[in-house]
Amino acid sequence: MKAKEFYNVAIYLRLSRDDEDIDGSKAESNSISSQRDMIRSFIRKQDNMEIYDIYVDDGWSGANFDRPEFKRMMKDIEAGHVDCVIVKDLSRLGRDYIEAGRLIQKTFPAFSVRFIALTDHFDSLTADYNETSLVVPVKNFVNDSYSRDISGKVRSHQKVKRENGDFIGAFAVYGYKKSVDNRNLLVPDDYAADIVRKIFTWKMEGYSNLCIARKLDDAGILSPMEYKKMQGEKLCTGFVTGVKSKWSAVAVKRILTNENYTGTLVQGREEKVNYKVNKSVMKPEDEWIKVNDAHEAIISKEDFEIVQDLLRIDTRAYSGEEKAHIYSGLLFCGDCMEPMLRRVSRYNGKETVSFICSTKNKGGDCTRHTISEEDLRHLVLTGLRQQVSLFMDKARVLEHIEQMEINFEEVVSFDREIEKLHKEQDKYLSLRAGLYEDLKKNIITEEDFKNFRAIYEKRYQELEEAISNQEETIKKLFKSGVTAGIQLERMKSVMQITELDRMTLLSFVKCILVYEDKRVYLELRHKELFSKVIMLADYAVTKGQIYRGEAV
C-alpha cells in the first residue's frame, strides 16, 4: 500500500459491557474516553491526518460486527469519505479472528484504507509480511478466545444468579419494579400491579382479550411500553413508530400467561445462538429456570391456573354481548366432550335459554343433550353445595388429626388411589418382562420388541409421576393442614349463596359435563386434595381414633 499525502481518519472506539469498565455515573465508559484521548494524541502528532468522524460502539460486544457505529463507518469507507481507520488495539475492532482478519487483510486494502492499532504497534502501511500474515492473525485468535471465555463465564454467572432467585433482566415485568435496596429483587409497582389484577379479574368474568384491551384504552390507561417510557426507562424495540402504542389482545395475553405474577420468578426463556451471533432462540419450557416465592405475588396461583384453563378454551362472547356467559369455558357435552352451545328462544315475548351439544348442532354424530339454563343452575348449585358440605364435614374431622400420632407411610399404604396406581405399575413391569420371552419364541420381531418396551417404559414412568404427585398432596396436608391450597372461608360462603355467579363457579368448578336425561357431573378444582382429605378422614375412622366426628 502506497502512502498518501493526506488521510481522512475514522476513529473507532468500542467497549463491551463484559469488559467491566463502565462507570454508571458518566454518560460513557472511562475506557471509551481513554481510547479517544489516546488516538487524538496520536493524530495531533501527525501532520498528514485529520479526523473525519468518531464512531463509538459503547456497550457492544466484539464477538460479531453487527454494531451500529461500525456499520456507519463502513458506509463512509465505501463512499470514499474515509481512508484511514485507527483503533486503540486489535480487540477494539473485533474479537472474531476470522472476520477481523478478513477486514485487515482484504476489505481495508480493497478500499485503499490504512489501518492502525496503536498499542499493538500495527500499521498496515509499514507492516511486513510476518506482521500481517502471522502476528496479527495470532493476536486476533487470542482476542477471539478471550471473547469465548468471557461469554462462558457470563453465562455461568447468570445461571447461578437465576437459580438463586435473583432477577437479572434489564427491565422489570409490567406490574413490578426493581427494589431500590436490591436491584435483583422485584417489588410490586402499586399502580401497574392494580391494572394487572383488573386484567385477570376481567378475564375470569368472561371478557375477551381484545375487549379487555379496549376497556384499558377507553379508560386512558397507558400500555406497558408507554408506561415504561413515562417512567423514564429507555426501551428499545424493533417496532418503533411515531404513533403512541395502545393496548392489544396480544399484550393482554402476554400478561395473562406470565407466571411471574404468582411470585414465581421465571427466567432463562431464551439463549443466544453463540457468542458471535447476536440472535436469541426460545428454549423449551422444561429448561426455563423457575424459583418459587422469589418475590411478592400480585396474582394468586389459584386464579392464575383458572385463567390458563380459560385461555385454552374458546370463551368468546356472543354477538352484541360484551362478555361471555356464566358457563363459558366450563360447560361440555358429557359424551363427545365438546362445548355446549347457548341457545336463546323467544316466543310471545318470553325468553327461554337452553344449552345443546355443539357437535349435534353442526350435524355431527352426537345427541342434543338439551338442558335449560334454569335446570342447569339448580343442578349445579345443588351439586356444588353437596360437594362442599361433604368436604367441610371431613375437614372438621381432620382438625383432630393434627393431635394424633399418624405414620405417613401407613397412610400412603391405606390410600386406594395410590394402591391402584402401584398395581397398574406392576402390570406394565410384567408386560415388559414378558417381551423377552415373546422375542425368544419369535412371537414378536426385534422392532416390535423395541416399540412395545418403549411404550411400557413410558407408561411406567407416567404412573411413577402420578404416584409421586399423590404422595406430595398427602405431604402437603401433613405439613400445612386442610387449608393447604384450599380457601376454606370462600368454601363456607358457598353454603350461603342462592344465586350462582361466574367467580364462584371458576373458583370451585373445573368443568361441568352434561349427559342425556339432564344428568350433570361437576369436576371440582383441587379434586385430588379433596379426595385426600376424605381419605385421611376415612383412615382416622378406620383406625378407631375418631368416633362420630369427635376425638376419642
Short mmCIF file of all heavy atoms in Angstrom, two decimals, residues 161-162 164-190 193 228 233 258-267 269 289 291 293-298:
data_model
loop_
_atom_site.label_atom_id
_atom_site.label_comp_id
_atom_site.label_asym_id
_atom_site.label_seq_id
_atom_site.Cartn_x
_atom_site.Cartn_y
_atom_site.Cartn_z
N LYS A 161 -27.11 -16.86 39.33
CA LYS A 161 -27.97 -15.81 39.88
C LYS A 161 -29.45 -16.15 39.66
O LYS A 161 -30.28 -15.93 40.54
CB LYS A 161 -27.63 -14.45 39.24
CG LYS A 161 -26.29 -13.89 39.69
CD LYS A 161 -26.00 -12.55 39.07
CE LYS A 161 -26.79 -11.43 39.71
NZ LYS A 161 -26.39 -11.15 41.08
N ARG A 162 -29.78 -16.68 38.48
CA ARG A 162 -31.16 -17.06 38.21
C ARG A 162 -31.62 -18.15 39.17
O ARG A 162 -32.72 -18.10 39.70
CB ARG A 162 -31.31 -17.55 36.76
CG ARG A 162 -31.27 -16.44 35.72
CD ARG A 162 -31.22 -17.02 34.33
NE ARG A 162 -31.22 -15.99 33.31
CZ ARG A 162 -30.58 -16.08 32.15
NH1 ARG A 162 -29.87 -17.17 31.88
NH2 ARG A 162 -30.63 -15.10 31.27
N ASN A 164 -30.58 -18.74 42.06
CA ASN A 164 -30.68 -18.19 43.41
C ASN A 164 -31.90 -17.29 43.58
O ASN A 164 -32.14 -16.75 44.67
CB ASN A 164 -29.42 -17.40 43.77
CG ASN A 164 -28.23 -18.31 44.00
OD1 ASN A 164 -28.38 -19.49 44.31
ND2 ASN A 164 -27.03 -17.77 43.85
N GLY A 165 -32.65 -17.10 42.48
CA GLY A 165 -33.85 -16.26 42.56
C GLY A 165 -33.57 -14.79 42.39
O GLY A 165 -34.40 -13.95 42.76
N ASP A 166 -32.40 -14.44 41.84
CA ASP A 166 -32.06 -13.04 41.58
C ASP A 166 -32.57 -12.64 40.20
O ASP A 166 -32.30 -13.33 39.21
CB ASP A 166 -30.55 -12.82 41.63
CG ASP A 166 -30.00 -12.97 43.03
OD1 ASP A 166 -30.75 -12.72 43.98
OD2 ASP A 166 -28.82 -13.35 43.18
N PHE A 167 -33.30 -11.55 40.12
CA PHE A 167 -33.78 -11.04 38.83
C PHE A 167 -32.63 -10.33 38.13
O PHE A 167 -32.01 -9.43 38.70
CB PHE A 167 -34.94 -10.08 39.03
CG PHE A 167 -35.44 -9.47 37.75
CD1 PHE A 167 -36.18 -10.22 36.86
CD2 PHE A 167 -35.14 -8.15 37.43
CE1 PHE A 167 -36.64 -9.67 35.67
CE2 PHE A 167 -35.60 -7.59 36.24
CZ PHE A 167 -36.35 -8.35 35.36
N ILE A 168 -32.30 -10.74 36.89
CA ILE A 168 -31.16 -10.15 36.19
C ILE A 168 -31.57 -9.48 34.88
O ILE A 168 -30.72 -9.10 34.09
CB ILE A 168 -30.07 -11.21 35.91
CG1 ILE A 168 -30.60 -12.31 34.98
CG2 ILE A 168 -29.54 -11.80 37.20
CD1 ILE A 168 -29.53 -13.27 34.52
N GLY A 169 -32.86 -9.32 34.67
CA GLY A 169 -33.32 -8.67 33.45
C GLY A 169 -33.03 -7.18 33.44
O GLY A 169 -32.85 -6.55 34.50
N ALA A 170 -32.99 -6.61 32.24
CA ALA A 170 -32.74 -5.17 32.12
C ALA A 170 -33.94 -4.36 32.60
O ALA A 170 -33.78 -3.30 33.20
CB ALA A 170 -32.41 -4.83 30.67
N PHE A 171 -35.15 -4.88 32.35
CA PHE A 171 -36.37 -4.17 32.73
C PHE A 171 -37.29 -5.11 33.51
O PHE A 171 -37.43 -6.28 33.18
CB PHE A 171 -37.12 -3.65 31.49
CG PHE A 171 -36.30 -2.74 30.63
CD1 PHE A 171 -35.70 -3.21 29.47
CD2 PHE A 171 -36.12 -1.41 30.98
CE1 PHE A 171 -34.94 -2.36 28.67
CE2 PHE A 171 -35.36 -0.56 30.20
CZ PHE A 171 -34.77 -1.04 29.03
N ALA A 172 -37.91 -4.57 34.55
CA ALA A 172 -38.87 -5.35 35.33
C ALA A 172 -40.13 -5.57 34.50
O ALA A 172 -40.52 -4.73 33.70
CB ALA A 172 -39.21 -4.62 36.62
N VAL A 173 -40.78 -6.72 34.70
CA VAL A 173 -42.02 -7.01 34.02
C VAL A 173 -43.08 -6.01 34.47
O VAL A 173 -43.06 -5.54 35.61
CB VAL A 173 -42.47 -8.47 34.31
CG1 VAL A 173 -42.75 -8.66 35.80
CG2 VAL A 173 -43.70 -8.84 33.50
N TYR A 174 -44.00 -5.66 33.56
CA TYR A 174 -45.07 -4.71 33.87
C TYR A 174 -45.82 -5.18 35.11
O TYR A 174 -46.24 -6.33 35.22
CB TYR A 174 -46.03 -4.61 32.69
CG TYR A 174 -47.18 -3.65 32.90
CD1 TYR A 174 -46.99 -2.28 32.81
CD2 TYR A 174 -48.46 -4.12 33.19
CE1 TYR A 174 -48.06 -1.39 33.01
CE2 TYR A 174 -49.52 -3.25 33.39
CZ TYR A 174 -49.31 -1.89 33.30
OH TYR A 174 -50.36 -1.02 33.50
N GLY A 175 -46.00 -4.27 36.06
CA GLY A 175 -46.63 -4.63 37.33
C GLY A 175 -45.64 -4.67 38.47
O GLY A 175 -46.01 -4.66 39.65
N TYR A 176 -44.34 -4.71 38.12
CA TYR A 176 -43.27 -4.73 39.12
C TYR A 176 -42.26 -3.64 38.81
O TYR A 176 -42.24 -3.05 37.73
CB TYR A 176 -42.56 -6.09 39.13
CG TYR A 176 -43.35 -7.21 39.73
CD1 TYR A 176 -44.06 -8.11 38.92
CD2 TYR A 176 -43.40 -7.40 41.11
CE1 TYR A 176 -44.79 -9.15 39.47
CE2 TYR A 176 -44.11 -8.45 41.66
CZ TYR A 176 -44.80 -9.32 40.85
OH TYR A 176 -45.53 -10.35 41.39
N LYS A 177 -41.39 -3.40 39.77
CA LYS A 177 -40.24 -2.53 39.59
C LYS A 177 -39.08 -3.12 40.39
O LYS A 177 -39.29 -3.99 41.26
CB LYS A 177 -40.55 -1.11 40.06
CG LYS A 177 -40.96 -1.01 41.53
CD LYS A 177 -41.38 0.40 41.90
CE LYS A 177 -41.86 0.47 43.36
NZ LYS A 177 -42.32 1.83 43.72
N LYS A 178 -37.89 -2.69 40.09
CA LYS A 178 -36.74 -3.18 40.83
C LYS A 178 -36.67 -2.48 42.19
O LYS A 178 -36.87 -1.27 42.28
CB LYS A 178 -35.45 -2.93 40.05
CG LYS A 178 -35.34 -3.73 38.76
CD LYS A 178 -34.02 -3.48 38.07
CE LYS A 178 -33.90 -4.26 36.76
NZ LYS A 178 -32.61 -4.02 36.08
N SER A 179 -36.38 -3.26 43.21
CA SER A 179 -36.27 -2.70 44.55
C SER A 179 -35.12 -1.70 44.61
O SER A 179 -34.06 -1.90 44.00
CB SER A 179 -36.02 -3.82 45.57
OG SER A 179 -35.68 -3.29 46.83
N VAL A 180 -35.34 -0.61 45.32
CA VAL A 180 -34.29 0.42 45.47
C VAL A 180 -33.11 -0.15 46.24
O VAL A 180 -31.94 0.15 45.93
CB VAL A 180 -34.87 1.66 46.20
CG1 VAL A 180 -33.77 2.69 46.46
CG2 VAL A 180 -35.99 2.27 45.39
N ASP A 181 -33.38 -1.01 47.22
CA ASP A 181 -32.32 -1.56 48.06
C ASP A 181 -31.62 -2.76 47.42
O ASP A 181 -30.46 -3.05 47.73
CB ASP A 181 -32.89 -1.99 49.42
CG ASP A 181 -33.51 -0.82 50.17
OD1 ASP A 181 -32.96 0.31 50.05
OD2 ASP A 181 -34.54 -1.01 50.84
N ASN A 182 -32.32 -3.47 46.55
CA ASN A 182 -31.76 -4.66 45.92
C ASN A 182 -32.23 -4.72 44.47
O ASN A 182 -33.38 -5.07 44.21
CB ASN A 182 -32.19 -5.92 46.69
CG ASN A 182 -31.64 -7.20 46.07
OD1 ASN A 182 -30.91 -7.18 45.08
ND2 ASN A 182 -31.99 -8.33 46.66
N ARG A 183 -31.36 -4.40 43.54
CA ARG A 183 -31.74 -4.31 42.12
C ARG A 183 -32.06 -5.68 41.52
O ARG A 183 -32.54 -5.77 40.41
CB ARG A 183 -30.63 -3.64 41.30
CG ARG A 183 -30.23 -2.27 41.79
CD ARG A 183 -31.41 -1.30 41.78
NE ARG A 183 -31.77 -0.89 40.43
CZ ARG A 183 -32.83 -0.15 40.14
NH1 ARG A 183 -33.65 0.23 41.10
NH2 ARG A 183 -33.10 0.19 38.90
N ASN A 184 -31.77 -6.75 42.26
CA ASN A 184 -32.07 -8.10 41.78
C ASN A 184 -33.38 -8.64 42.37
O ASN A 184 -33.69 -9.82 42.23
CB ASN A 184 -30.93 -9.07 42.12
CG ASN A 184 -29.64 -8.70 41.43
OD1 ASN A 184 -28.62 -8.48 42.07
ND2 ASN A 184 -29.67 -8.62 40.11
N LEU A 185 -34.14 -7.76 43.02
CA LEU A 185 -35.41 -8.15 43.62
C LEU A 185 -36.55 -7.34 43.01
O LEU A 185 -36.47 -6.12 42.90
CB LEU A 185 -35.38 -7.93 45.13
CG LEU A 185 -36.70 -8.17 45.89
CD1 LEU A 185 -37.08 -9.66 45.82
CD2 LEU A 185 -36.58 -7.72 47.33
N LEU A 186 -37.61 -8.04 42.59
CA LEU A 186 -38.79 -7.37 42.06
C LEU A 186 -39.77 -7.06 43.20
O LEU A 186 -40.01 -7.92 44.06
CB LEU A 186 -39.49 -8.25 41.02
CG LEU A 186 -38.73 -8.55 39.73
CD1 LEU A 186 -39.55 -9.48 38.84
CD2 LEU A 186 -38.38 -7.28 38.99
N VAL A 187 -40.31 -5.87 43.18
CA VAL A 187 -41.35 -5.48 44.14
C VAL A 187 -42.52 -4.91 43.35
O VAL A 187 -42.33 -4.34 42.27
CB VAL A 187 -40.83 -4.44 45.16
CG1 VAL A 187 -39.75 -5.04 46.04
CG2 VAL A 187 -40.32 -3.19 44.45
N PRO A 188 -43.75 -5.07 43.85
CA PRO A 188 -44.92 -4.57 43.10
C PRO A 188 -44.87 -3.07 42.87
O PRO A 188 -44.50 -2.30 43.76
CB PRO A 188 -46.10 -4.95 44.00
CG PRO A 188 -45.61 -6.11 44.80
CD PRO A 188 -44.17 -5.82 45.06
N ASP A 189 -45.21 -2.67 41.65
CA ASP A 189 -45.43 -1.27 41.32
C ASP A 189 -46.94 -1.07 41.53
O ASP A 189 -47.75 -1.56 40.74
CB ASP A 189 -45.03 -1.04 39.86
CG ASP A 189 -45.33 0.37 39.37
OD1 ASP A 189 -46.16 1.05 40.01
OD2 ASP A 189 -44.76 0.79 38.36
N ASP A 190 -47.31 -0.38 42.59
CA ASP A 190 -48.71 -0.34 43.04
C ASP A 190 -49.69 -0.02 41.92
O ASP A 190 -50.72 -0.69 41.76
CB ASP A 190 -48.87 0.67 44.18
CG ASP A 190 -48.16 0.20 45.44
OD1 ASP A 190 -47.94 -1.01 45.57
OD2 ASP A 190 -47.81 1.05 46.29
N ALA A 193 -49.53 -2.82 39.18
CA ALA A 193 -49.98 -4.09 39.77
C ALA A 193 -51.50 -4.12 39.85
O ALA A 193 -52.13 -5.17 39.62
CB ALA A 193 -49.37 -4.27 41.15
N LYS A 228 -43.71 2.46 30.70
CA LYS A 228 -42.28 2.40 30.98
C LYS A 228 -41.56 3.64 30.46
O LYS A 228 -40.62 4.15 31.10
CB LYS A 228 -41.68 1.12 30.38
CG LYS A 228 -42.07 -0.15 31.12
CD LYS A 228 -41.45 -1.38 30.48
CE LYS A 228 -41.90 -2.65 31.18
NZ LYS A 228 -41.39 -2.76 32.55
N GLU A 233 -37.73 4.84 31.50
CA GLU A 233 -36.91 3.70 31.08
C GLU A 233 -36.66 3.79 29.58
O GLU A 233 -37.54 4.09 28.80
CB GLU A 233 -37.61 2.39 31.43
CG GLU A 233 -37.79 2.20 32.93
CD GLU A 233 -38.35 0.82 33.26
OE1 GLU A 233 -38.31 -0.06 32.38
OE2 GLU A 233 -38.83 0.64 34.39
N ASN A 258 -48.18 -14.78 32.08
CA ASN A 258 -46.89 -14.55 32.72
C ASN A 258 -46.92 -15.05 34.17
O ASN A 258 -47.56 -14.47 35.04
CB ASN A 258 -46.53 -13.07 32.70
CG ASN A 258 -45.07 -12.83 33.02
OD1 ASN A 258 -44.45 -13.57 33.78
ND2 ASN A 258 -44.50 -11.80 32.43
N GLU A 259 -46.20 -16.14 34.41
CA GLU A 259 -46.21 -16.78 35.73
C GLU A 259 -45.51 -15.95 36.79
O GLU A 259 -45.67 -16.20 37.99
CB GLU A 259 -45.55 -18.16 35.63
CG GLU A 259 -45.85 -19.09 36.78
CD GLU A 259 -45.27 -20.48 36.60
OE1 GLU A 259 -44.76 -20.77 35.49
OE2 GLU A 259 -45.33 -21.27 37.55
N ASN A 260 -44.74 -14.95 36.38
CA ASN A 260 -44.04 -14.10 37.35
C ASN A 260 -45.02 -13.43 38.31
O ASN A 260 -44.65 -13.10 39.45
CB ASN A 260 -43.23 -13.03 36.62
CG ASN A 260 -41.92 -13.57 36.08
OD1 ASN A 260 -41.01 -13.88 36.83
ND2 ASN A 260 -41.83 -13.69 34.77
N TYR A 261 -46.26 -13.21 37.87
CA TYR A 261 -47.24 -12.53 38.72
C TYR A 261 -47.66 -13.35 39.93
O TYR A 261 -48.25 -12.83 40.86
CB TYR A 261 -48.47 -12.12 37.90
CG TYR A 261 -48.16 -11.11 36.83
CD1 TYR A 261 -48.43 -11.35 35.49
CD2 TYR A 261 -47.58 -9.88 37.17
CE1 TYR A 261 -48.14 -10.42 34.51
CE2 TYR A 261 -47.28 -8.95 36.19
CZ TYR A 261 -47.56 -9.22 34.86
OH TYR A 261 -47.26 -8.28 33.89
N THR A 262 -47.35 -14.66 39.93
CA THR A 262 -47.70 -15.52 41.07
C THR A 262 -46.60 -15.55 42.11
O THR A 262 -46.71 -16.30 43.10
CB THR A 262 -47.98 -16.96 40.59
OG1 THR A 262 -46.76 -17.53 40.08
CG2 THR A 262 -49.04 -16.98 39.51
N GLY A 263 -45.53 -14.79 41.91
CA GLY A 263 -44.40 -14.80 42.84
C GLY A 263 -43.31 -15.76 42.40
O GLY A 263 -42.25 -15.83 43.04
N THR A 264 -43.57 -16.51 41.33
CA THR A 264 -42.57 -17.43 40.78
C THR A 264 -41.72 -16.68 39.75
O THR A 264 -42.25 -16.19 38.75
CB THR A 264 -43.24 -18.64 40.11
OG1 THR A 264 -43.97 -19.36 41.09
CG2 THR A 264 -42.19 -19.56 39.49
N LEU A 265 -40.42 -16.59 40.01
CA LEU A 265 -39.53 -15.89 39.09
C LEU A 265 -39.16 -16.83 37.95
O LEU A 265 -38.54 -17.88 38.17
CB LEU A 265 -38.28 -15.41 39.82
CG LEU A 265 -37.30 -14.57 39.01
CD1 LEU A 265 -37.97 -13.30 38.50
CD2 LEU A 265 -36.07 -14.21 39.84
N VAL A 266 -39.54 -16.46 36.74
CA VAL A 266 -39.26 -17.27 35.55
C VAL A 266 -38.24 -16.54 34.69
O VAL A 266 -38.49 -15.42 34.23
CB VAL A 266 -40.55 -17.52 34.73
CG1 VAL A 266 -40.25 -18.43 33.54
CG2 VAL A 266 -41.63 -18.12 35.61
N GLN A 267 -37.09 -17.16 34.49
CA GLN A 267 -36.02 -16.55 33.69
C GLN A 267 -35.38 -17.61 32.79
O GLN A 267 -35.65 -18.80 32.92
CB GLN A 267 -34.96 -15.93 34.59
CG GLN A 267 -35.48 -14.80 35.47
CD GLN A 267 -34.38 -14.13 36.25
OE1 GLN A 267 -33.91 -13.04 35.93
NE2 GLN A 267 -33.94 -14.78 37.31
N ARG A 269 -35.70 -17.94 29.47
CA ARG A 269 -36.57 -18.45 28.41
C ARG A 269 -35.85 -18.51 27.07
O ARG A 269 -36.18 -19.32 26.21
CB ARG A 269 -37.81 -17.57 28.27
CG ARG A 269 -38.64 -17.47 29.54
CD ARG A 269 -39.84 -16.58 29.30
NE ARG A 269 -40.55 -16.29 30.53
CZ ARG A 269 -41.86 -16.21 30.65
NH1 ARG A 269 -42.61 -16.41 29.59
NH2 ARG A 269 -42.43 -15.94 31.80
N ILE A 289 -35.68 -21.51 33.99
CA ILE A 289 -35.33 -21.54 35.41
C ILE A 289 -36.44 -20.86 36.19
O ILE A 289 -36.72 -19.68 35.99
CB ILE A 289 -33.98 -20.84 35.67
CG1 ILE A 289 -32.86 -21.60 34.95
CG2 ILE A 289 -33.69 -20.77 37.17
CD1 ILE A 289 -31.50 -20.95 35.07
N VAL A 291 -38.07 -20.12 40.07
CA VAL A 291 -37.85 -20.11 41.52
C VAL A 291 -39.14 -19.64 42.20
O VAL A 291 -39.58 -18.50 41.98
CB VAL A 291 -36.68 -19.17 41.90
CG1 VAL A 291 -36.48 -19.16 43.41
CG2 VAL A 291 -35.39 -19.61 41.19
N ASP A 293 -41.78 -18.33 45.00
CA ASP A 293 -41.77 -17.35 46.10
C ASP A 293 -40.51 -16.48 46.10
O ASP A 293 -39.97 -16.16 47.15
CB ASP A 293 -41.91 -18.07 47.45
CG ASP A 293 -43.17 -18.93 47.52
OD1 ASP A 293 -44.22 -18.46 47.04
OD2 ASP A 293 -43.09 -20.06 48.03
N ALA A 294 -40.07 -16.10 44.90
CA ALA A 294 -38.88 -15.25 44.78
C ALA A 294 -39.22 -13.79 45.07
O ALA A 294 -38.34 -13.00 45.43
CB ALA A 294 -38.26 -15.39 43.39
N HIS A 295 -40.47 -13.42 44.89
CA HIS A 295 -40.91 -12.05 45.15
C HIS A 295 -42.40 -12.06 45.51
O HIS A 295 -43.05 -13.11 45.45
CB HIS A 295 -40.65 -11.15 43.94
CG HIS A 295 -41.21 -11.71 42.65
ND1 HIS A 295 -40.42 -12.37 41.73
CD2 HIS A 295 -42.46 -11.75 42.14
CE1 HIS A 295 -41.17 -12.77 40.72
NE2 HIS A 295 -42.42 -12.40 40.95
N GLU A 296 -42.92 -10.92 45.90
CA GLU A 296 -44.32 -10.84 46.31
C GLU A 296 -45.25 -11.08 45.12
O GLU A 296 -45.05 -10.54 44.03
CB GLU A 296 -44.60 -9.45 46.91
CG GLU A 296 -46.01 -9.28 47.43
CD GLU A 296 -46.26 -7.90 48.00
OE1 GLU A 296 -45.28 -7.21 48.34
OE2 GLU A 296 -47.44 -7.49 48.08
N ALA A 297 -46.25 -11.91 45.34
CA ALA A 297 -47.20 -12.24 44.27
C ALA A 297 -48.23 -11.12 44.09
O ALA A 297 -48.63 -10.48 45.06
CB ALA A 297 -47.90 -13.55 44.58
N ILE A 298 -48.61 -10.90 42.85
CA ILE A 298 -49.71 -9.98 42.53
C ILE A 298 -51.00 -10.75 42.33
O ILE A 298 -52.08 -10.31 42.70
CB ILE A 298 -49.37 -9.16 41.26
CG1 ILE A 298 -48.20 -8.20 41.52
CG2 ILE A 298 -50.59 -8.40 40.77
CD1 ILE A 298 -47.76 -7.45 40.28
#
